Each structure stands twice: as C-alpha cells, then as structure tokens.
Amino acid sequence: MTEHMKRQFYKFLIRWLVNSLGLFGAAQLFKLVDYQDRVLVIVIGGLVLSLLNAVIKPVFILFTLPAIALTLGLFMVIINGTLVYLASVIYKPLAITSFWAAVLVGMFIGLVNYVITLIAEKIEVKASAEYF
C-alpha cells in the first residue's frame, strides 16, 4: 500500500468517526435520530454516511452545480440533508423522523466536522512548528 493510499484511508477513517460523532450528538441534542440506544447503529450509520459522502456526494454536487451557484453554496445544506436521509433509508436501524430533520442533522454533522477540522489543523500546525 502506497503512502498516498494510507493517507486516504486514514482520512476516510477520520470522516467515519466524525460522522458517527455527529450522528450521536444530533441524536442526543435533537431527538430526531432513533438509533435504538445501540452504539453499533451509530457506528454503522456513520460508515454508510461516509461511503455516501465519498461516492455519491461528488455526483450530486456535479448535477446540482447551477443550484449551488445560484444560492451561493447554501444548496449544499440540502445535499447534506439528502445524504443523511438516504443513509437512514439504506440502513433501517438508523431512523430519522423526516427529510427536514435529516437536513438539520446534516447541518449539525457539518458543524461537528468543521470544529474537529479546526482542532486537527491547529494540532498539525503546532506539530510542524516544533520541527523548526
């Protein structure tokens, strides 16, 4: 396995973890996600969502580029919500009450992803600064 493939795999694992944390946080905060009080449902739901984000999201973005441009990127919220809703349709134990609930959950997952990315970048900058 090349170094590039390892890096991509680790990034996917991190996205999986972040998506799982976001699903769990949304389930606790909004009560719009039913995961049957089983952590495994959250973990597998995060995996399904990560796979959808890796495979289907680029296609969605390509086909909805005009809507994304017209709304100055706000249509991405609908795309993220659609992917969360699709994950709940594909993986039945993860139940989301409605499409608009999925949009809210998608926004929350995006916020969690943003915060974790900021923290990771600060840690990476600190680590690289220590080498000099």
Side-chain angles (χ1 to χ4, degrees), residues 33-45:
V33 178
D34 179 27
Y35 62 100
Q36 305 167 354
D37 292 330
R38 294 178 21 216
V39 175
L40 186 61
V41 172
I42 291 290
V43 171
I44 294 173

Side-chain angles (χ1 to χ4, degrees), residues 39-60:
V39 175
L40 186 61
V41 172
I42 291 290
V43 171
I44 294 173
L47 174 63
V48 171
L49 184 57
S50 298
L51 289 170
L52 289 172
N53 280 334
V55 177
I56 294 178
K57 189 174 185 176
V59 177
F60 274 19

Side-chain angles (χ1 to χ4, degrees), residues 16 18-19 22-24 35 51 60 74 77 80 91 104-105 108 113 117 119 123:
W16 180 8
V18 169
N19 284 331
L23 280 172
F24 182 74
Y35 62 100
L51 289 170
F60 274 19
L74 289 176
V77 172
N80 289 337
Y91 184 58
L104 183 61
V105 170
F108 184 79
N113 191 6
T117 300
I119 293 169
I123 291 171

Side-chain angles (χ1 to χ4, degrees), residues 1 4 13 19 28 30-31 38 41 51 58-59 63-65 75 77-78 91 94 100 115 124-126:
M1 188 182 288
H4 177 70
L13 290 178
N19 284 331
Q28 299 303 308
F30 302 123
K31 305 295 183 201
R38 294 178 21 216
V41 172
L51 289 170
V59 177
F63 285 129
T64 60
L65 209 49
F75 195 73
V77 172
I78 301 299
Y91 184 58
L94 180 70
W100 295 110
V115 169
E124 189 176 314
V125 167
K126 260 188 192 177

Side-chain angles (χ1 to χ4, degrees), residues 74-113:
L74 289 176
F75 195 73
M76 289 297 296
V77 172
I78 301 299
I79 292 174
N80 289 337
T82 302
L83 291 172
V84 170
Y85 188 74
L86 191 58
S88 74
V89 168
I90 291 171
Y91 184 58
K92 297 291 184 196
L94 180 70
I96 298 182
T97 56
S98 69
F99 173 75
W100 295 110
V103 169
L104 183 61
V105 170
M107 289 183 348
F108 184 79
I109 292 171
L111 180 64
V112 169
N113 191 6

